[in-house]
Amino acid sequence: MNQEISFIQREALKEKPATDSLGFGKYFTDYMLVMDYHSENGWYNPRITPYEALTLEPSAMVFHYGQAIFEGMKAYRTADGTAQLFRPEKNMKRLNDTCDRMCIPQIDEDFLLSAIKQLIFTEKDWIPQGEGTSLYIRPFIIATEAYLGVRPAKEYKLFVILSPSGAYYGSQLNPVKIYVEEQYVRAVIGGVGHVKNAGNYAASLKAQEKADRLGYAQILWLDAKENKYVEEVGSMNIFFKINGEVVTPKLTGSILPGVTRDSVIQLLKHWNIPVREERISIEEVFAAHERGELEEVFGAGTAAVISPVGELTWNDKTIVINDNQIGHLSQDIYDEMTGIQLGKKEDPFNWTVKVAQVEV
Amino acid sequence: MNQEISFIQREALKEKPATDSLGFGKYFTDYMLVMDYHSENGWYNPRITPYEALTLEPSAMVFHYGQAIFEGMKAYRTADGTAQLFRPEKNMKRLNDTCDRMCIPQIDEDFLLSAIKQLIFTEKDWIPQGEGTSLYIRPFIIATEAYLGVRPAKEYKLFVILSPSGAYYGSQLNPVKIYVEEQYVRAVIGGVGHVKNAGNYAASLKAQEKADRLGYAQILWLDAKENKYVEEVGSMNIFFKINGEVVTPKLTGSILPGVTRDSVIQLLKHWNIPVREERISIEEVFAAHERGELEEVFGAGTAAVISPVGELTWNDKTIVINDNQIGHLSQDIYDEMTGIQLGKKEDPFNWTVKVAQVEV
Ligand SMILES: Cc1ncc(COP(=O)(O)O)c(C=O)c1O
Ligand SMILES: Cc1ncc(COP(=O)(O)O)c(C=O)c1O
């Protein structure tokens, strides 16, 4: 795909919100990237256009049969004032994997990435300054065809919207209380849990509501077939440090292949810390704790980077991990990853991608 | 809820399409019912308003986390010219069950049903004349709040749109070829398959695409845990007549409780035909065929009422059912159900509900 990206200028720019009021996903920048799909044209008319409401027919298929998918990534402001992305080609690839599973037409990954860079370059003044902040990037695709038959739509719209985001943590990482869910499941093999389909998140709300009610920060999901193997924590992948070795659930088909997960694994290998991807049962986790070998537990995802788990409750048993303190390894990974993302540390893996005028 | 339903008149009515061009889900009537929800007001501002496009922010939660649910029912034109609904209170109840699972606020079922009746009365001239036609009724709810955090939305919109629909069948019921799917699954216990969540349908498209490619009309879904027990056929519930007895999968939690399914069961009991709700494995179905006891197989749902299965393929084995002819029982149920729906047959169950001015 080698299309010209048109630019539609807005009349007046918005006022930028104060950094300490940002939170997550509330404010959006002046412009967005939009592209249309029609089965007769393929993807066409890529444009950077004012961020504004869209108009859809009540019969637009996205409202009825849920063909809606997304990605989540961040642009960081480096010390030298340039914008930087973290492994964005992985998000482009995963977007296409999601498209494939949800019968949405494939996107040209290189084209989309260069269009996103152009958008971010246009909006570079929106990347917040300040510890832990970033510009959140949300690509998404929805089925727009006006038709009520159950089949893949023939018309779609792709959007990329940008939202300046505040720091996830205050001055330090916060260990959280987690609850092992046995009634509700997130995903099953043969289903859609390995992709970023909108419906997965709607389906997860009920369990999150239950966790909130019971006073837990997040859910630890078990596999749907046996209710036995650990899958993910909230919307993050999960890692266990047991007796000096790190274990994370292997990608069996119901787990989202996180970019952060993959990066943590590479980092551990680079550091010569043993790391294994394998199925791990919740019994094993509790047994390791019993033996005094469960050293650290943490979630890994774009939003928090690393989220230490301080307490884990399974039925009526609660275990406290590492005295409810951030583990050394969790802290080291967090520091290294955020250091690389912000351009403060060396990037031996070539993970970061600069956003510069020349790219576009 | 005891709210006034306001009426916003349109300037000009649309031209009604010819009955033989109707198809399904392509045309919509002049008006729709809309109602808003805000966490501070509850549901408010019910209105019958011109059918027209809606405007949403790109960050509207429905596009990202898939809180979108629906119902499907029909209004029929009876011989005396009045409009009639079929067990609509079951759809209202199921809508609320779906709301509950998807963390969407409950609706007043009686209010919604009376509002739907009012809408249909307004649009009664849109109910097509002619064998097998009906006015399809599509209530749906979407999360409209502009926010990217993963949590239940605080703002929703409910719509009821109406679409005149042509006959599903031509002059007679058509037995179809069905394919037993073993790679993809529709739903799992602990998930959302027992409710009408939009995401379920997006998740099913890939398998349907595969069935199309292989030359089958629909998928027979197996359970996700063991890939063994029959669940549904396409978007219908399924029935087997084996040696004079009728079996349908019991509602274990991953099967949609169809209104048609429930009606078929009641009808069979009324006719003193043995009917059981139990788990039935695909092996059992094939074994029954082997013994010469598999007499009829049919799907049951609002769209087709009854859809006979003529051929069933599981891996590389294909069985032909009842010589690829419509079975007597399938035909009898179809005739009885459609007879009741159209007011041509007596309604001993009080299933039908007339739509008259006085109701509203
Ligand atoms: C369900 C789920 N699991 C895991 C992740 C972590 O993935 P990533 O590291 O790519 O952000 C996410 C977030 O994107 C997610 O939504
Ligand atoms: C997945 C699924 N199963 C079964 C049915 C049949 O339900 P009903 O008889 O209420 O139309 C439907 C259609 O609504 C459906 O979507």
Side-chain angles (χ1 to χ4, degrees):
Chain A
M1 191 164 157
N2 216 331
Q3 293 191 26
E4 193 73 37
I5 300 168
S6 54
F7 179 72
I8 298 114
Q9 187 135 13
R10 52 186 299 149
E11 305 239 318
L13 297 184
K14 301 180 190 175
E15 207 172 321
K16 295 186 180 58
T19 301
D20 58 5
S21 73
L22 289 178
F24 178 77
K26 286 191 299 186
Y27 298 102
F28 298 91
T29 68
D30 291 302
Y31 292 96
M32 62 184 178
L33 176 73
V34 185
M35 192 154 59
D36 301 307
Y37 178 91
H38 192 290
S39 54
E40 282 165 21
N41 305 320
W43 288 104
Y44 68 101
N45 194 15
R47 55 204 184 270
I48 291 176
T49 180
Y51 182 91
E52 64 189 6
L54 63 146
T55 296
L56 289 172
E57 290 296 304
S59 58
M61 291 174 84
V62 61
F63 299 139
H64 302 272
Y65 307 126
Q67 267 184 304
I69 68 170
F70 69 99
E71 267 302 326
M73 50 207 280
K74 288 176 174 178
Y76 306 89
R77 184 183 288 282
T78 59
D80 64 3
T82 58
Q84 189 157 281
L85 300 173
F86 185 74
R87 309 186 76 187
E89 68 289 350
K90 298 274 287 179
N91 297 90
M92 299 300 103
K93 169 74 169 60
R94 191 169 63 189
L95 183 68
N96 261 342
D97 291 344
T98 305
C99 283
D100 180 58
R101 182 61 181 85
M102 307 313 291
C103 297
I104 294 173
Q106 295 283 296
I107 303 282
D108 181 324
E109 297 174 23
D110 293 337
F111 175 79
L112 180 58
L113 182 51
S114 80
I116 289 176
K117 284 183 194 168
Q118 184 167 332
L119 176 67
I120 291 165
F121 191 81
T122 308
E123 295 292 64
K124 58 186 179 311
D125 294 345
W126 277 92
I127 308 179
Q129 313 261 8
E131 190 73 32
T133 64
S134 62
L135 185 65
Y136 183 77
I137 305 166
R138 168 58 56 92
F140 67 100
I141 303 176
I142 55 173
T144 54
E145 188 188 351
Y147 177 56
L148 292 190
V150 181
R151 61 148 170 77
K154 292 180 178 165
E155 293 162 41
Y156 299 87
K157 267 188 161 42
L158 173 148
F159 295 83
V160 181
I161 60 177
L162 305 177
S163 176
S165 297
Y168 194 94
Y169 295 107
S171 55
Q172 58 163 34
L173 302 194
N174 256 329
V176 291
K177 290 169 66 174
I178 301 288
Y179 166 79
V180 180
E181 176 58 47
E182 293 205 304
Q183 178 187 2
Y184 300 112
V185 301
R186 200 192 75 86
V188 66
I189 294 171
V192 294
H194 57 306
V195 297
K196 284 186 84 76
N197 163 45
N200 290 341
Y201 298 82
S204 76
L205 297 173
K206 188 82 178 170
Q208 182 61 47
E209 221 177 51
K210 182 175 157 192
D212 292 347
R213 202 169 52 237
L214 297 172
Y216 297 93
Q218 304 230 280
I219 299 141
L220 192 126
W221 299 102
L222 299 182
D223 81 284
K225 290 205 180 196
E226 299 183 59
N227 247 268
K228 180 173 171 181
Y229 297 102
V230 174
E231 299 232 312
E232 302 197 33
V233 55
S235 290
M236 288 180 281
N237 296 110
I238 190 163
F239 288 80
F240 301 93
K241 181 163 173 262
I242 298 175
N243 199 21
E245 293 195 354
V246 179
V247 185
T248 190
K250 82 166 185 220
L251 302 176
T252 47
S254 51
I255 292 174
L256 193 82
V259 177
T260 317
R261 174 187 182 279
D262 185 79
S263 308
V264 169
I265 293 170
Q266 283 196 47
L267 200 56
L268 291 171
K269 288 183 176 162
H270 184 68
W271 285 344
N272 285 316
I273 294 171
V275 53
R276 285 175 292 127
E277 299 176 61
E278 57 186 36
R279 304 198 83 182
I280 176 165
S281 70
I282 188 68
E283 284 104 322
E284 269 172 83
V285 173
F286 273 68
H289 179 266
E290 195 76 12
R291 295 193 305 272
E293 293 181 355
L294 185 63
E295 296 160 357
E296 300 185 33
V297 180
F298 58 91
T302 296
V305 187
I306 296 297
S307 174
V309 176
E311 262 186 56
L312 196 54
T313 300
W314 180 33
N315 292 323
D316 43 13
K317 216 172 153 191
T318 296
I319 58 178
V320 175
I321 296 141
N322 194 35
D323 262 340
N324 217 346
Q325 302 298 307
I326 308 115
H328 285 297
L329 185 64
S330 307
Q331 186 72 56
D332 286 351
I333 297 170
Y334 180 81
D335 292 343
E336 191 71 19
M337 295 270 291
T338 55
I340 293 172
Q341 286 164 344
L342 295 167
K344 290 182 183 168
K345 295 211 176 206
E346 231 193 295
D347 175 11
F349 311 97
N350 270 318
W351 281 339
T352 54
V353 174
K354 286 224 182 300
V355 176
Q357 181 98 63
V358 291
E359 307 267 11
V360 299
Chain B
M1 191 165 158
N2 216 331
Q3 293 191 27
E4 192 73 35
I5 300 168
S6 54
F7 180 71
I8 298 114
Q9 186 134 14
R10 53 187 300 150
E11 304 239 318
L13 298 184
K14 301 180 190 174
E15 205 172 321
K16 297 188 179 55
T19 302
D20 59 5
S21 74
L22 289 177
F24 177 77
K26 287 191 299 184
Y27 298 102
F28 299 91
T29 67
D30 291 301
Y31 291 96
M32 62 184 178
L33 175 73
V34 184
M35 191 154 61
D36 301 308
Y37 177 90
H38 192 291
S39 54
E40 282 165 21
N41 305 323
W43 288 104
Y44 67 101
N45 194 14
R47 56 205 183 269
I48 290 176
T49 180
Y51 183 90
E52 65 189 5
L54 62 146
T55 297
L56 288 172
E57 290 296 305
S59 58
M61 292 174 85
V62 61
F63 298 138
H64 302 272
Y65 307 126
Q67 267 185 302
I69 67 171
F70 69 98
E71 267 303 326
M73 49 207 280
K74 288 176 174 177
Y76 306 89
R77 184 183 288 281
T78 58
D80 64 3
T82 58
Q84 188 158 280
L85 300 172
F86 184 74
R87 309 188 76 187
E89 68 290 349
K90 299 274 288 178
N91 297 90
M92 299 299 104
K93 168 73 169 60
R94 190 168 65 188
L95 183 69
N96 261 342
D97 291 343
T98 306
C99 284
D100 180 58
R101 182 63 182 82
M102 306 313 290
C103 297
I104 294 173
Q106 295 284 297
I107 304 281
D108 181 324
E109 297 174 23
D110 292 337
F111 175 79
L112 180 58
L113 182 51
S114 81
I116 289 176
K117 285 183 195 168
Q118 185 167 333
L119 176 67
I120 291 166
F121 192 81
T122 307
E123 296 291 65
K124 58 186 180 312
D125 294 344
W126 277 93
I127 309 178
Q129 313 261 8
E131 190 72 33
T133 65
S134 61
L135 184 65
Y136 184 76
I137 306 166
R138 168 56 57 91
F140 67 101
I141 303 177
I142 56 173
T144 54
E145 187 187 351
Y147 177 56
L148 292 190
V150 180
R151 61 148 171 75
K154 292 180 177 164
E155 295 162 41
Y156 299 87
K157 268 189 161 41
L158 173 148
F159 294 82
V160 181
I161 59 177
L162 305 177
S163 176
S165 298
Y168 194 93
Y169 295 106
S171 55
Q172 58 163 31
L173 302 194
N174 255 330
V176 292
K177 289 169 65 174
I178 301 288
Y179 166 77
V180 180
E181 176 57 48
E182 293 205 302
Q183 178 186 2
Y184 300 112
V185 301
R186 200 192 76 87
V188 66
I189 293 171
V192 294
H194 57 306
V195 297
K196 283 185 84 76
N197 163 46
N200 290 342
Y201 298 81
S204 77
L205 296 174
K206 188 81 176 169
Q208 181 62 46
E209 220 176 52
K210 182 175 157 192
D212 291 348
R213 203 168 52 238
L214 298 172
Y216 298 92
Q218 304 230 281
I219 299 141
L220 192 127
W221 299 103
L222 298 182
D223 81 285
K225 290 205 179 195
E226 299 182 59
N227 246 268
K228 182 174 169 178
Y229 297 102
V230 174
E231 300 231 311
E232 302 198 33
V233 55
S235 291
M236 289 180 280
N237 297 110
I238 191 163
F239 288 80
F240 301 94
K241 180 162 174 261
I242 298 175
N243 199 20
E245 294 196 354
V246 179
V247 184
T248 189
K250 82 167 187 222
L251 303 175
T252 47
S254 51
I255 292 174
L256 193 82
V259 177
T260 318
R261 175 188 180 278
D262 184 80
S263 309
V264 169
I265 293 171
Q266 284 195 47
L267 200 56
L268 291 170
K269 287 183 177 163
H270 184 68
W271 286 344
N272 285 316
I273 295 171
V275 53
R276 285 175 292 127
E277 299 177 62
E278 57 185 35
R279 303 196 84 183
I280 176 163
S281 71
I282 188 66
E283 284 104 325
E284 268 171 84
V285 172
F286 274 67
H289 179 266
E290 195 76 12
R291 293 193 306 272
E293 293 182 356
L294 184 63
E295 295 159 358
E296 300 185 33
V297 180
F298 57 91
T302 296
V305 186
I306 296 298
S307 174
V309 176
E311 262 186 55
L312 196 54
T313 299
W314 180 33
N315 293 322
D316 43 13
K317 214 172 155 191
T318 296
I319 57 178
V320 175
I321 296 141
N322 194 37
D323 261 339
N324 217 346
Q325 302 298 309
I326 308 117
H328 286 298
L329 185 63
S330 307
Q331 186 73 57
D332 286 351
I333 296 170
Y334 180 82
D335 292 343
E336 191 71 19
M337 295 270 289
T338 54
I340 293 172
Q341 286 164 344
L342 296 168
K344 291 182 184 167
K345 296 213 177 204
E346 230 194 294
D347 175 11
F349 311 97
N350 270 317
W351 281 340
T352 54
V353 174
K354 286 223 184 297
V355 176
Q357 180 98 61
V358 291
E359 307 267 9
V360 300

